[in-house]
Amino acid sequence: MRRKELLILLVLLIVVQAASAEDLKVWASKGSVGAGEEIELNILWGDTGCKEYHVVIYRTYPSGEVVRYPAEGYGDPLKAPGPMGIRRTFSADRAGIHTFRVELYCGTTLLAKGDVKVNVTKGASQIYLNASPRKVRVGEEITLFGSMKPERANLSLEVVSPDGARRNLTLIVENGNFSRSLLLNVSGTWRFRALWSGNKDFSGSSSDWIDVEVAKGPLKVSVRTDPPGLTVYVDGKAYPGGGDFEWEEGSIHSLSADAQRTEDGRRYIFRGWRGMSNSTSISVRAEPSSYVAEYRVQYYLNVTSELGEAEGSGWYDAGSYARAKLKTDKIEEFPWIYVFKGWGGDANGSSLISDPILMDKPKVALAKWERTLNPLYMITILSISLAVIFGLTTFYLLLKYRRKKKPSDERVKRIREKISKLEEMRRRGEIPEGVYVKLKREYMMELRRIRGKEKG
């Protein structure tokens, strides 16, 4: 019985809460507001005795987009409302019908729902513009500043110069504020106005006109080079590194620059006057400005090799990469053999084509060679050396032999002369036959003794 009683009590409680849910009331303070204003919702309900109430709101935009508040969960707990209920404020940022659905919870139990619609009409935009300073000299700068609503739009700045010419610039709005500096280069009254054409949520508007007075005076002009430090010519006079000048308003001046300049492995090639002309010489009307002669910078790579044919020398743009090259890695010049051993100087690598060389200054690539003797030359030298040694030895022995045999040769010669003379005396009959035979025998025996000693 007790369990049944508890169940009946719970059902009665739910019925009481459901009945109380009909007391939920939701209304907007204004049924129609302009874009840029606020939407104020009022929420009131009867107290059902719940300890913690929660309110969840779903907002449906005119485009159909739905946004939940809070994005997740049920938000902070609420106590029973007073006689005025509670309020929630939302920004009316888009024109059209905005629908709000309010859900009331006790804990996580839905008690009631309520809807309300608010019409958001097209809002009015506002623009405020000012300038500082309001009086300047020709060539000086002013700052235009101000604010606008809505904050998300960019503006058009209408500029009217003293001669009546009109132009439009853009003002970038950040957090509802804007600022832009301008250099005024003509004397007289300048007029400024900020405008916005509006959009589907806000109507367009414009600021009041702002006047700035520009007095006559010398114009400050800067003439420079890029890279800096080169020579420019202003009205025919050279100015190394450029210079700053003061010109009378409306005066005409000539500017010129060198077409090319080379020094210490660096080369500067004229590109043009920045934003103006590619011609080295121009004429300009005085106005506060900066004139810059722009040059392309190049560096020279010198590829050298004592042997072979090297390639790659030349001018390269600053920041580019170059390579040094050789056509062969071996050269034979008898009696030497030269073998390529890699790159030195500002180059690296061991192949015929070097590693990339960053051209950030003048650089040198040097081919390195190693010299060794040709093996064939060694064999030839050895052969010649042996032949020379053999020849010298032979010559020495011959000399030694000749020196050793010289006395016997003289004796043989004398004996042969005696034999010849003996033969002549016999033919003439000046010597007896017996004497002839005896002497000849003695001479012949002497010859045999000499030859026998030589053989020994």
Side-chain angles (χ1 to χ4, degrees):
M1 290 293 294
R2 190 167 184 177
R3 182 176 295 180
K4 290 182 179 180
E5 291 174 357
L6 291 173
L7 187 59
I8 292 171
L9 183 61
L10 181 61
V11 170
L12 290 173
L13 180 61
I14 294 173
V15 170
V16 170
Q17 288 181 344
S20 299
E22 295 178 358
D23 295 334
L24 176 67
K25 296 180 181 180
V26 182
W27 73 96
S29 297
K30 294 181 180 180
S32 178
V33 299
E37 299 179 12
E38 291 185 340
I39 299 171
E40 187 177 80
L41 294 185
N42 299 276
I43 305 170
L44 180 64
W45 68 90
D47 186 12
T48 62
C50 180
K51 292 183 178 180
E52 292 184 353
Y53 292 101
H54 297 274
V55 173
V56 176
I57 300 175
Y58 292 88
R59 179 182 186 177
T60 302
Y61 283 85
S63 63
E65 177 188 357
V66 178
V67 179
R68 185 181 189 272
Y69 305 92
E72 297 180 351
Y74 296 90
D76 296 332
L78 303 172
K79 295 181 180 180
M84 299 302 295
I86 63 172
R87 295 180 180 180
R88 294 288 185 268
T89 302
F90 301 88
S91 174
D93 53 354
R94 305 180 199 174
I97 302 298
H98 294 244
T99 302
F100 296 86
R101 166 167 287 189
V102 179
E103 295 182 350
L104 177 65
Y105 289 85
C106 177
T108 59
T109 302
L110 178 63
L111 297 180
K113 300 178 181 179
D115 293 343
V116 65
K117 296 181 183 292
V118 177
N119 181 32
V120 178
T121 60
K122 202 168 188 177
S125 61
Q126 296 178 345
I127 303 174
Y128 166 76
L129 177 67
N130 203 347
S132 179
R134 291 290 189 95
K135 293 183 178 181
V136 295
R137 297 181 70 86
V138 170
E140 294 182 343
E141 196 174 63
I142 67 165
T143 299
L144 296 166
F145 61 93
S147 61
M148 78 157 299
K149 293 182 179 179
E151 299 178 355
R152 63 176 177 270
N154 288 338
L155 305 178
S156 175
L157 177 66
E158 187 176 1
V159 181
V160 181
S161 59
D163 60 1
R166 293 175 180 264
R167 60 174 173 155
N168 288 85
L169 305 175
T170 300
L171 293 172
I172 299 176
V173 180
E174 295 181 355
N175 299 321
N177 301 306
F178 58 83
S179 176
R180 178 159 183 171
S181 296
L182 294 178
L183 190 71
L184 304 183
N185 53 14
V186 177
S187 61
T189 300
W190 290 74
R191 309 199 72 199
F192 305 93
R193 181 176 65 162
L195 307 96
W196 184 53
S197 60
N199 58 21
K200 63 182 182 62
D201 298 318
F202 293 88
S203 59
S205 63
S206 65
S207 71
D208 294 332
W209 283 98
I210 298 296
D211 292 345
V212 176
E213 296 295 329
V214 180
K216 289 185 177 181
L219 305 178
K220 295 181 179 179
V221 179
S222 171
V223 183
R224 295 287 188 272
T225 63
D226 183 14
L230 302 178
T231 299
V232 293
Y233 304 88
V234 180
D235 294 329
K237 184 178 179 180
Y239 292 88
D244 297 313
F245 306 89
E246 290 188 351
W247 294 344
E248 289 298 323
E249 183 178 353
S251 60
I252 304 298
H253 300 268
S254 65
L255 305 178
S256 61
D258 295 324
Q260 182 172 303
R261 183 174 180 177
T262 303
E263 55 183 27
D264 300 328
R266 292 174 174 82
R267 184 166 73 177
Y268 303 93
I269 301 175
F270 181 76
R271 297 172 57 189
W273 291 95
R274 181 178 296 168
M276 297 185 64
S277 171
N278 293 330
S279 174
T280 56
S281 298
I282 58 174
S283 294
V284 295
R285 182 179 294 276
E287 63 179 35
S289 182
S290 295
Y291 300 95
V292 181
E294 296 183 314
Y295 284 84
R296 184 168 81 250
V297 182
Q298 294 183 328
Y299 296 110
Y300 192 79
L301 173 64
N302 185 18
V303 182
T304 63
S305 176
E306 293 182 357
L307 301 167
E309 187 175 348
E311 298 177 347
S313 293
W315 293 99
Y316 295 87
D317 288 343
S320 64
Y321 287 87
R323 290 178 184 267
K325 300 178 183 178
L326 276 178
K327 287 192 173 182
T328 182
D329 60 357
K330 185 177 181 181
I331 296 175
E332 295 186 15
E333 292 183 357
F334 194 82
W336 303 104
I337 294 179
Y338 298 88
V339 179
F340 175 67
K341 288 298 181 180
W343 294 98
D346 296 310
N348 295 302
S350 57
S351 62
L352 290 177
I353 300 178
S354 72
D355 296 342
I357 304 169
L358 175 61
M359 297 304 296
D360 55 357
K361 62 180 181 179
K363 292 192 173 180
V364 175
L366 176 63
K368 298 183 293 185
W369 297 85
E370 183 178 81
R371 185 180 72 172
T372 58
L373 281 171
N374 192 320
L376 180 60
Y377 175 74
M378 297 296 293
I379 295 173
T380 303
I381 291 297
L382 181 59
S383 299
I384 293 173
S385 298
L386 291 175
V388 169
I389 292 172
F390 177 78
L392 291 174
T393 303
T394 303
F395 181 69
Y396 171 76
L397 293 175
L398 287 175
L399 286 178
K400 184 177 179 182
Y401 176 78
R402 290 184 63 183
R403 287 173 184 166
K404 186 177 180 180
K405 300 299 181 179
K406 188 172 182 179
S408 60
D409 292 344
E410 290 295 327
R411 290 175 61 192
V412 170
K413 183 179 180 182
R414 286 196 299 270
I415 293 172
R416 287 179 175 174
E417 289 177 352
K418 289 179 180 181
I419 294 173
S420 178
K421 189 175 181 180
L422 182 62
E423 292 292 341
E424 182 67 26
M425 291 174 66
R426 179 188 180 192
R427 189 175 62 255
R428 292 177 180 176
E430 294 177 355
I431 185 172
E433 186 66 23
V435 176
Y436 163 77
V437 173
K438 181 180 179 182
L439 291 174
K440 187 174 182 179
R441 185 184 297 116
E442 290 177 358
Y443 293 154
M444 295 303 292
M445 290 178 65
E446 183 67 22
L447 285 175
R448 283 194 292 269
R449 283 196 301 269
I450 292 171
R451 289 173 178 168
K453 291 180 179 181
E454 291 177 355
K455 291 180 180 180

